[in-house]
Amino acid sequence: MRYPVEHKEQTHQRIVRAASRRLRGRGSEGVPIAGLMRELRLTHGGFYRHFSNKEQLYAEALADGFEEVGAMLVRAAEQAPKGHELQAIIDTYLSEGHCGQASDGCPFAALVSEIGRQPRAVRTAFESALRAHTRRIGRFLPGASEEERERTFSLLFSGMAGTLGLARATSDPATRRRILEGAREMYLKAFS
Amino acid sequence: MRYPVEHKEQTHQRIVRAASRRLRGRGSEGVPIAGLMRELRLTHGGFYRHFSNKEQLYAEALADGFEEVGAMLVRAAEQAPKGHELQAIIDTYLSEGHCGQASDGCPFAALVSEIGRQPRAVRTAFESALRAHTRRIGRFLPGASEEERERTFSLLFSGMAGTLGLARATSDPATRRRILEGAREMYLKAFS
DNA sequence: TGTACATCAGTGAACGCGCGTTCACTGATGTAC
DNA sequence: TGTACATCAGTGAACGCGCGTTCACTGATGTAC
């Protein structure tokens, strides 16, 4: 079959989006190519018309995930009253919604402990996607220079990602809420 | 063959120790039974004389890992000058050594983002191992009541685990050191 | 004390399954003439 | 305008591989008599 010119690019994006969600929701072992393609009503063979291998898919899926969560945080910050941007970001990141919906959330939180064990190509892609993400969010963080804001970003987001990991591992909902609430308070105080 | 009475228990422990190290060093997908048994110069068939399935092994391996890292932190705290116990714990946990040697380190840091996706049996085992760990370390943390110290523990260690995850994902050694150093400073200040 | 049998940690072939990747093929549409 | 051919996104069988788990078997030693 011959498809319209935009068709391939659309399919490519659909695969990346679906992979990004699965990657964040189920982890790096939770994205089998056949299952992914079936979800999109395609067959696994076609995958290799779009990506040379799975690592390339992961690289693009990571960037996509960071863009999505970045947009979410920027929106929260821009809608917050003047001077409360940081609080809005922290509250959004450590919300029960973000905790419960890992597949739509931050790839860093979803994969903190796995990234270091990924193949080099994936780690490199992660690092550059994170760098882009840092630039997008950095302007809402305290700090005189860009370098200082980047360090603040690292500390704040790595801490919050760990907390999300703990909250997601906690089975009791009340305990989970208490963890999130305590963390929101602590990080706001520590970074204001 | 008939073995001395203690023999089985010893083998069981050897399997748990090796699994614990692999689990922390390579993640939950990095402990194939055949490979694990081969490392101990045994064959995979014998595994099921010791564990009813892989989940049971993971449960025991998690407990073992928490005991090991707990002992490490308690030792650091007890050797610290009076009043500097918390600092010793933070410095040990966020040391370059702990960052570089994940297989001997904290199972929580090694698996933060994976635990929530494990089967129920593993998650339950994780939660009770973490509770035991909290009790072992809690006495060195600030807080009037045991409950308050437990909350402090959750915030401090989930944050530090996230930071370790970021540091381990960072390829540039200088950046990695800077992350660890910044975090040591920040958490000490936030929890003193 | 000697003999027959029971025990059971460990062995290794076999199972069914899911995985990433390859490849010859399909067929609707674009293009060359 | 009509026809022959090229294109190429998507198909689905097939590959080799590693996995968790099962199971009939081994054989040194303990135990019953």
Side-chain angles (χ1 to χ4, degrees), chain B residues 20-35:
Chain B
S20 172
R21 268 165 228 289
R22 284 202 179 215
L23 186 59
R24 289 177 279 166
R26 312 184 192 190
S28 54
E29 306 290 329
V31 197
I33 291 170

PDB file of all heavy atoms in Angstrom, chain B residues 20-35:
ATOM      1  N   SER B  20      20.939 -11.028  46.388  1.00  0.00           N
ATOM      2  CA  SER B  20      20.833  -9.683  46.937  1.00  0.00           C
ATOM      3  C   SER B  20      21.788  -8.731  46.226  1.00  0.00           C
ATOM      4  O   SER B  20      21.431  -7.617  45.845  1.00  0.00           O
ATOM      5  CB  SER B  20      21.115  -9.727  48.430  1.00  0.00           C
ATOM      6  OG  SER B  20      21.211  -8.429  48.960  1.00  0.00           O
ATOM      7  N   ARG B  21      22.997  -9.189  46.012  1.00  0.00           N
ATOM      8  CA  ARG B  21      23.973  -8.361  45.306  1.00  0.00           C
ATOM      9  C   ARG B  21      23.581  -8.114  43.855  1.00  0.00           C
ATOM     10  O   ARG B  21      23.668  -7.001  43.347  1.00  0.00           O
ATOM     11  CB  ARG B  21      25.353  -9.027  45.353  1.00  0.00           C
ATOM     12  CG  ARG B  21      26.189  -8.576  46.523  1.00  0.00           C
ATOM     13  CD  ARG B  21      27.379  -9.454  46.787  1.00  0.00           C
ATOM     14  NE  ARG B  21      27.431  -9.767  48.203  1.00  0.00           N
ATOM     15  CZ  ARG B  21      27.752  -8.884  49.143  1.00  0.00           C
ATOM     16  NH1 ARG B  21      28.062  -7.654  48.815  1.00  0.00           N
ATOM     17  NH2 ARG B  21      27.746  -9.220  50.419  1.00  0.00           N
ATOM     18  N   ARG B  22      23.148  -9.170  43.198  1.00  0.00           N
ATOM     19  CA  ARG B  22      22.739  -9.016  41.798  1.00  0.00           C
ATOM     20  C   ARG B  22      21.526  -8.112  41.681  1.00  0.00           C
ATOM     21  O   ARG B  22      21.440  -7.273  40.781  1.00  0.00           O
ATOM     22  CB  ARG B  22      22.388 -10.375  41.196  1.00  0.00           C
ATOM     23  CG  ARG B  22      23.601 -11.200  40.865  1.00  0.00           C
ATOM     24  CD  ARG B  22      23.230 -12.235  39.807  1.00  0.00           C
ATOM     25  NE  ARG B  22      24.388 -13.033  39.438  1.00  0.00           N
ATOM     26  CZ  ARG B  22      24.606 -13.490  38.209  1.00  0.00           C
ATOM     27  NH1 ARG B  22      23.735 -13.257  37.244  1.00  0.00           N
ATOM     28  NH2 ARG B  22      25.668 -14.201  37.942  1.00  0.00           N
ATOM     29  N   LEU B  23      20.587  -8.298  42.584  1.00  0.00           N
ATOM     30  CA  LEU B  23      19.362  -7.503  42.568  1.00  0.00           C
ATOM     31  C   LEU B  23      19.693  -6.022  42.686  1.00  0.00           C
ATOM     32  O   LEU B  23      19.175  -5.181  41.939  1.00  0.00           O
ATOM     33  CB  LEU B  23      18.476  -7.944  43.732  1.00  0.00           C
ATOM     34  CG  LEU B  23      17.073  -7.365  43.841  1.00  0.00           C
ATOM     35  CD1 LEU B  23      16.249  -7.666  42.605  1.00  0.00           C
ATOM     36  CD2 LEU B  23      16.366  -7.933  45.081  1.00  0.00           C
ATOM     37  N   ARG B  24      20.608  -5.699  43.595  1.00  0.00           N
ATOM     38  CA  ARG B  24      20.973  -4.299  43.799  1.00  0.00           C
ATOM     39  C   ARG B  24      21.861  -3.785  42.677  1.00  0.00           C
ATOM     40  O   ARG B  24      21.789  -2.629  42.294  1.00  0.00           O
ATOM     41  CB  ARG B  24      21.680  -4.149  45.156  1.00  0.00           C
ATOM     42  CG  ARG B  24      20.730  -4.320  46.321  1.00  0.00           C
ATOM     43  CD  ARG B  24      21.448  -4.252  47.646  1.00  0.00           C
ATOM     44  NE  ARG B  24      22.092  -5.508  48.032  1.00  0.00           N
ATOM     45  CZ  ARG B  24      22.990  -5.617  48.995  1.00  0.00           C
ATOM     46  NH1 ARG B  24      23.393  -4.553  49.657  1.00  0.00           N
ATOM     47  NH2 ARG B  24      23.496  -6.804  49.296  1.00  0.00           N
ATOM     48  N   GLY B  25      22.691  -4.650  42.133  1.00  0.00           N
ATOM     49  CA  GLY B  25      23.626  -4.203  41.100  1.00  0.00           C
ATOM     50  C   GLY B  25      23.025  -4.160  39.709  1.00  0.00           C
ATOM     51  O   GLY B  25      23.408  -3.330  38.884  1.00  0.00           O
ATOM     52  N   ARG B  26      22.069  -5.052  39.449  1.00  0.00           N
ATOM     53  CA  ARG B  26      21.558  -5.171  38.082  1.00  0.00           C
ATOM     54  C   ARG B  26      20.062  -4.984  37.963  1.00  0.00           C
ATOM     55  O   ARG B  26      19.508  -5.060  36.867  1.00  0.00           O
ATOM     56  CB  ARG B  26      21.913  -6.545  37.510  1.00  0.00           C
ATOM     57  CG  ARG B  26      23.366  -6.923  37.722  1.00  0.00           C
ATOM     58  CD  ARG B  26      23.694  -8.242  37.059  1.00  0.00           C
ATOM     59  NE  ARG B  26      25.008  -8.735  37.509  1.00  0.00           N
ATOM     60  CZ  ARG B  26      25.642  -9.757  36.966  1.00  0.00           C
ATOM     61  NH1 ARG B  26      25.074 -10.413  35.968  1.00  0.00           N
ATOM     62  NH2 ARG B  26      26.817 -10.153  37.428  1.00  0.00           N
ATOM     63  N   GLY B  27      19.392  -4.821  39.101  1.00  0.00           N
ATOM     64  CA  GLY B  27      17.948  -4.607  39.051  1.00  0.00           C
ATOM     65  C   GLY B  27      17.157  -5.894  39.038  1.00  0.00           C
ATOM     66  O   GLY B  27      17.716  -6.993  38.948  1.00  0.00           O
ATOM     67  N   SER B  28      15.843  -5.759  39.085  1.00  0.00           N
ATOM     68  CA  SER B  28      14.990  -6.929  39.274  1.00  0.00           C
ATOM     69  C   SER B  28      14.949  -7.849  38.055  1.00  0.00           C
ATOM     70  O   SER B  28      14.513  -8.987  38.158  1.00  0.00           O
ATOM     71  CB  SER B  28      13.575  -6.493  39.643  1.00  0.00           C
ATOM     72  OG  SER B  28      13.085  -5.594  38.674  1.00  0.00           O
ATOM     73  N   GLU B  29      15.432  -7.356  36.918  1.00  0.00           N
ATOM     74  CA  GLU B  29      15.479  -8.221  35.734  1.00  0.00           C
ATOM     75  C   GLU B  29      16.877  -8.803  35.546  1.00  0.00           C
ATOM     76  O   GLU B  29      17.128  -9.490  34.563  1.00  0.00           O
ATOM     77  CB  GLU B  29      15.076  -7.448  34.479  1.00  0.00           C
ATOM     78  CG  GLU B  29      13.735  -6.746  34.552  1.00  0.00           C
ATOM     79  CD  GLU B  29      12.561  -7.715  34.551  1.00  0.00           C
ATOM     80  OE1 GLU B  29      12.668  -8.797  33.949  1.00  0.00           O
ATOM     81  OE2 GLU B  29      11.530  -7.392  35.185  1.00  0.00           O
ATOM     82  N   GLY B  30      17.747  -8.522  36.488  1.00  0.00           N
ATOM     83  CA  GLY B  30      19.139  -8.931  36.320  1.00  0.00           C
ATOM     84  C   GLY B  30      19.563 -10.102  37.184  1.00  0.00           C
ATOM     85  O   GLY B  30      20.742 -10.255  37.483  1.00  0.00           O
ATOM     86  N   VAL B  31      18.590 -10.912  37.589  1.00  0.00           N
ATOM     87  CA  VAL B  31      18.902 -12.040  38.453  1.00  0.00           C
ATOM     88  C   VAL B  31      18.326 -13.329  37.875  1.00  0.00           C
ATOM     89  O   VAL B  31      17.444 -13.940  38.480  1.00  0.00           O
ATOM     90  CB  VAL B  31      18.344 -11.829  39.891  1.00  0.00           C
ATOM     91  CG1 VAL B  31      19.000 -12.782  40.870  1.00  0.00           C
ATOM     92  CG2 VAL B  31      18.508 -10.392  40.357  1.00  0.00           C
ATOM     93  N   PRO B  32      18.808 -13.779  36.717  1.00  0.00           N
ATOM     94  CA  PRO B  32      18.305 -15.045  36.173  1.00  0.00           C
ATOM     95  C   PRO B  32      18.766 -16.200  37.057  1.00  0.00           C
ATOM     96  O   PRO B  32      19.929 -16.238  37.470  1.00  0.00           O
ATOM     97  CB  PRO B  32      18.956 -15.130  34.795  1.00  0.00           C
ATOM     98  CG  PRO B  32      20.139 -14.246  34.857  1.00  0.00           C
ATOM     99  CD  PRO B  32      19.849 -13.183  35.863  1.00  0.00           C
ATOM    100  N   ILE B  33      17.847 -17.112  37.332  1.00  0.00           N
ATOM    101  CA  ILE B  33      18.123 -18.193  38.274  1.00  0.00           C
ATOM    102  C   ILE B  33      19.316 -19.038  37.840  1.00  0.00           C
ATOM    103  O   ILE B  33      20.202 -19.341  38.644  1.00  0.00           O
ATOM    104  CB  ILE B  33      16.868 -19.074  38.467  1.00  0.00           C
ATOM    105  CG1 ILE B  33      15.808 -18.269  39.230  1.00  0.00           C
ATOM    106  CG2 ILE B  33      17.198 -20.352  39.211  1.00  0.00           C
ATOM    107  CD1 ILE B  33      14.452 -18.918  39.287  1.00  0.00           C
ATOM    108  N   ALA B  34      19.353 -19.379  36.553  1.00  0.00           N
ATOM    109  CA  ALA B  34      20.448 -20.227  36.065  1.00  0.00           C
ATOM    110  C   ALA B  34      21.797 -19.536  36.269  1.00  0.00           C
ATOM    111  O   ALA B  34      22.761 -20.152  36.732  1.00  0.00           O
ATOM    112  CB  ALA B  34      20.245 -20.566  34.594  1.00  0.00           C
ATOM    113  N   GLY B  35      21.860 -18.256  35.945  1.00  0.00           N
ATOM    114  CA  GLY B  35      23.105 -17.508  36.083  1.00  0.00           C
ATOM    115  C   GLY B  35      23.536 -17.383  37.531  1.00  0.00           C
ATOM    116  O   GLY B  35      24.721 -17.510  37.864  1.00  0.00           O
TER     117      GLY B  35
END
